[in-house]
Amino acid sequence: MDPIQTPPQQPPEAPYQPPQPIEPAPPVMPLNSIPPQGSAHPSPPQTMSVMAIVGLVLAFVVPVVGIIVSAIALAKIGKNGQKGRGLAIAGLVIGLINTVVGIILLIALVGASFSGVQQKARDTERRTDINALHTQVEAYYAQNGMYPTLFNMNDTSFRNKDLKGIENDAFSDPKSPQTNQFTDKPSTTSLEYAYTVKPDGCDNISKMCTSYTLLANLEGETETDYTKRSLAN
């Protein structure tokens, strides 16, 4: 009699589990957004260069200092990667322009000042000349009882003989040293000394010269001419 065979035991059935939803795959990062190896954090945002701003302001106030500060700022911006390159370049350009304008104005101011000094020196020389001529003409009158004629004053021989105390330069305006002749009609534009003798037409032969006026045109703003008149009348 065969032994009774027992059927193989079946493993217990697992409890029913509902199907799980499929999770979507993580997005793929673009290559340009992948941080470089060894860098755990992205680079901080760029900051504005304070020195570039200061250089631009100084370019208007103190141009030379503005140029220096802007140049330093531009060099640092290239190294540190800061913002403000345009401001630094603007500071350089504006500083250079203002420096050139300042130099031009300074040259003009110095030139005007030098010109004013020259004008004053020429006016001083004119007064000295007229005073010297006045002294010598009065000395001639004291000896001869008459004043020189216009012809006498323009005659080299007469000057050398009767007006010995006057240098040759005293007969000409310092702005026109080559002209050493007197005119008898003063004008505001003349570069000649004026010697007007009275009465009209006097020649110290048929008619004696009894008065005169010596005049030099001045370049100063307060006085337009310097005049000396005869002491006899």
Side-chain angles (χ1 to χ4, degrees):
M1 182 175 181
D2 296 330
I4 300 174
Q5 297 180 352
T6 58
Q9 295 181 355
Q10 299 293 329
E13 294 183 359
Y16 174 78
Q17 294 181 355
Q20 299 294 324
I22 300 174
E23 295 182 359
V28 179
M29 297 179 63
L31 294 178
N32 58 2
S33 64
I34 299 176
Q37 295 182 358
S39 177
H41 303 284
S43 59
Q46 293 179 327
T47 58
M48 180 63 68
S49 172
V50 177
M51 187 170 288
I53 299 174
V54 174
L56 179 60
V57 174
L58 290 175
F60 291 96
V61 183
V62 189
V64 176
V65 179
I67 293 173
I68 297 173
V69 174
S70 297
I72 296 174
L74 189 60
K76 287 188 175 183
I77 287 172
K79 295 179 180 179
N80 302 336
Q82 292 180 310
K83 294 181 180 179
R85 180 180 177 83
L87 294 178
I89 294 175
L92 283 172
V93 174
I94 294 173
L96 287 171
I97 293 174
N98 288 340
T99 299
V100 172
V101 172
I103 292 174
I104 294 174
L105 291 176
L106 180 61
I107 292 174
L109 180 62
V110 171
S113 178
F114 181 70
S115 177
V117 171
Q118 288 183 315
Q119 289 181 357
K120 290 181 180 180
R122 287 193 293 265
D123 283 347
T124 299
E125 185 175 348
R126 291 179 178 108
R127 292 186 180 94
T128 301
D129 291 346
I130 294 299
N131 288 337
L133 289 166
H134 175 66
T135 300
Q136 290 298 310
V137 170
E138 289 297 334
Y140 179 85
Y141 180 84
Q143 293 179 355
N144 300 279
M146 54 188 173
Y147 290 112
T149 64
L150 178 63
F151 177 82
N152 293 148
M153 294 294 288
N154 288 330
D155 182 45
T156 305
S157 306
F158 178 85
R159 293 175 181 176
N160 294 334
K161 178 182 177 182
D162 297 287
L163 303 176
K164 296 179 180 180
I166 303 178
E167 298 291 336
N168 290 330
D169 293 344
F171 293 96
S172 58
D173 187 279
K175 205 169 184 179
S176 181
Q178 70 279 3
T179 304
N180 60 0
Q181 297 292 300
F182 290 89
T183 179
D184 63 338
K185 296 179 180 179
S187 69
T188 57
T189 59
S190 176
L191 292 179
E192 300 171 324
Y193 292 150
Y195 179 75
T196 306
V197 66
K198 297 291 184 179
D200 294 337
C202 65
D203 56 6
N204 286 340
I205 297 175
S206 60
K207 186 187 297 185
M208 300 299 176
C209 298
T210 58
S211 65
Y212 70 90
T213 301
L214 276 166
L215 180 144
N217 290 317
L218 302 180
E219 298 178 67
E221 296 180 358
T222 56
E223 293 181 275
T224 58
D225 61 69
Y226 184 73
T227 304
K228 283 288 185 179
R229 291 181 173 83
S230 54
L231 300 179
N233 291 312

